[in-house]
Amino acid sequence: MHPKILAFVLPQFHAIPENDAWWGQGFTEWVNTKRARPLFKGHYQPRIPANGNYYDLTDPATQDWQAQLARSHGIDGFCYYHYWFNGKRLLEQPVNLLLERREPDFPFCLAWANEPWTRSWDGGDKQILMPQEYGDKPDWELHFSELLRAFQDPRYIRVDGKPVFLIYRSSSIERCPEMFACWRQLALDAGLPGLHLVQMRTAFPVDTRPGLFDASMDFEPMHTIYHWMSDLDRKREKLARHRRKLIKWFTGNAGHAPNSFNYSGLWHNIASRPIAAQHYPGAFVDWDNSPRRELKRAIIFRNFSRKAFHDGFERQYAKACQAGSEFLFINAWNEWAEGTYLEPDEGRGLFFLETIKKIVEASSEHAQR
């Protein structure tokens, strides 16, 4: 069985009044992306989209282009981030446009990014711009009514006919069992066979409450960094940080960010782990969130290697095939200000998409022999 490859899509590529107020008139993710500069020797910044394509996600032509590019390179669908703050939606326009146009004809699902928006872009509890609250049953019913239109769309991704809906931080939702029970009943009342709820295992604590989810998935690379690095790996990273401090002391340039991780090592960790039942594996492209953060707080992967991506994704995809995984989620389609995107840029072009396409096609050819 070949898994469907789903790429996360950030919708913050159009202006909204809230971002105008918080960050300045006309703010989109491109503002962060464009202002990035190299912070040390060899730092791959700024990241410039191929042909200077600083698009607007509310432009139908952009959505059509993204779907065509994804489909032609082995990506089976998009997973759009959904932002709901107890009655208020943000960044909803791209998905609303998909629903209104009924185009492009490309599968999609939603992932509720249920964390507060903060000035430091970390989902924490300081400098909060938009708090995250969960309310009670009337609020849950209102939220479901907002989701239902997408769930009923024929392009919406399903498992056994049930719409797939991901939750980013369920451990933050105290009354999650009650909310999910409410939603599952509302789905049945609406004529759906139910819901397929998926826990995103991120950098935050894993939700261990039994019976909540139908499946879980690893949101990479942060899940591995915070939950799967061995003591030996952490000691190696600590030594690497000390080494960079010494190099900077003597030369003035450490060649890396103060807080960095080895790209090849992370891919090896991810690709080496077995896949559990009812679990969707994850993948990632790269990582550099310095456009959003100052250098001392940024995480920037070092030793990027095309071979490491090829070999890591190839192993991860093969594992998913062998395990019979329904999906493989990749982070991300367009997280430009975090340095993890499949869309082509001026430096690496279509490398990531072409690599995925070759791996998928080779796997399909092998299965047909």
Side-chain angles (χ1 to χ4, degrees):
M1 177 178 174
H2 289 78
K4 297 179 180 66
I5 301 174
L6 307 182
F8 287 102
V9 176
L10 177 70
Q12 192 160 238
F13 292 90
H14 67 286
I16 61 173
E18 291 80 5
N19 276 337
D20 287 346
W22 296 328
W23 302 104
Q25 192 68 30
F27 176 87
T28 74
E29 201 69 8
W30 293 127
V31 172
N32 287 330
T33 305
K34 288 179 179 180
R35 72 184 178 191
R37 296 292 181 267
L39 301 176
F40 49 82
K41 186 178 179 180
H43 186 200
Y44 181 43
Q45 286 290 355
R47 311 287 183 102
I48 302 173
N51 303 311
N53 185 19
Y54 295 103
Y55 54 71
D56 184 327
L57 260 186
T58 60
D59 181 356
T62 293
Q63 295 188 339
D64 293 343
W65 167 76
Q66 289 179 323
Q68 188 279 328
L69 184 64
R71 181 186 290 111
S72 63
H73 287 86
I75 307 301
D76 297 291
F78 287 150
C79 183
Y80 288 88
Y81 289 118
H82 165 78
Y83 300 94
W84 174 268
F85 300 90
N86 196 21
K88 183 174 181 59
R89 288 181 67 185
L90 293 178
L91 300 177
E92 73 279 7
Q93 294 180 49
V95 170
N96 283 351
L97 182 62
L98 288 177
L99 298 174
E100 291 164 5
R101 294 175 60 218
R102 301 187 180 182
E103 294 288 344
D105 186 13
F106 191 64
F108 73 96
C109 63
L110 300 177
W112 183 17
N114 64 310
E115 61 180 7
W117 281 15
T118 68
R119 190 157 292 281
S120 55
W121 305 94
D122 62 0
D125 57 4
K126 298 178 180 179
Q127 295 184 303
I128 293 176
L129 301 172
M130 176 63 73
Q132 182 62 262
E133 299 175 350
Y134 300 101
D136 50 22
K137 189 174 181 180
D139 303 296
W140 309 335
E141 292 173 340
L142 179 61
H143 191 181
F144 184 86
S145 69
E146 288 287 322
L147 292 165
L148 184 59
R149 184 182 176 199
F151 289 166
Q152 292 177 326
D153 190 285
R155 296 164 295 174
Y156 200 89
I157 296 166
R158 296 171 171 81
V159 171
D160 297 328
K162 301 175 182 178
V164 174
F165 188 52
L166 286 72
I167 313 292
Y168 189 74
R169 285 175 61 176
S170 64
S171 59
S172 301
I173 309 174
E174 182 178 355
R175 299 176 65 187
C176 199
E178 297 171 74
M179 184 175 71
F180 282 7
C182 173
W183 285 354
R184 291 184 191 277
Q185 184 58 53
L186 290 171
L188 295 174
D189 294 344
L192 298 169
L195 295 176
H196 188 80
L197 298 174
V198 181
Q199 175 182 193
M200 297 175 67
R201 305 206 303 179
T202 65
F204 297 98
V206 174
D207 196 331
T208 59
R209 289 173 287 186
L212 276 182
F213 290 96
D214 301 289
S216 61
M217 62 79 59
D218 289 344
F219 185 72
E220 301 294 0
M222 291 303 150
H223 180 68
T224 291
I225 288 175
Y226 285 89
H227 296 282
W228 283 98
M229 286 184 66
S230 67
D231 290 339
L232 178 59
D233 288 336
R234 296 192 186 281
K235 287 178 181 177
R236 286 173 176 165
E237 291 293 347
K238 186 176 181 179
L239 288 172
R241 283 193 289 272
H242 287 312
R243 179 175 178 271
R244 290 193 294 278
K245 288 180 181 178
L246 289 173
I247 293 173
K248 186 175 182 180
W249 178 268
F250 286 106
T251 69
N253 191 334
H256 298 296
N259 187 23
S260 72
F261 293 90
N262 184 37
Y263 183 88
S264 300
L266 276 169
W267 256 119
H268 177 75
N269 186 322
I270 292 168
S272 299
R273 299 199 307 264
I275 299 174
Q278 298 303 309
H279 192 82
Y280 304 138
F284 75 101
V285 181
D286 194 2
W287 194 270
D288 180 352
N289 61 4
S290 62
R292 287 182 168 183
R293 302 183 176 195
E294 58 189 29
L295 180 59
K296 66 181 181 180
R297 296 179 57 251
I299 296 177
I300 304 172
F301 285 1
R302 65 183 187 276
N303 302 329
F304 168 79
S305 161
R306 295 186 179 219
K307 184 178 186 302
F309 177 80
H310 175 278
D311 294 352
F313 188 85
E314 185 176 51
R315 290 176 63 191
Q316 191 74 335
Y317 187 75
K319 279 194 318 178
C321 291
Q322 294 166 4
S325 300
E326 185 83 21
F327 306 111
L328 190 162
F329 287 87
I330 187 163
N331 185 21
W333 178 259
N334 65 341
E335 283 277 10
W336 284 86
E338 291 188 336
T340 183
Y341 50 88
L342 290 169
E343 291 178 332
D345 71 5
E346 293 288 353
R348 295 169 179 169
L350 285 165
F351 162 73
F352 296 106
L353 285 172
E354 289 176 344
T355 299
I356 291 172
K357 180 179 180 179
K358 290 175 182 177
I359 290 170
V360 171
E361 288 179 346
S363 179
S364 298
E365 291 172 3
H366 179 75
Q368 292 172 4
R369 292 174 188 168

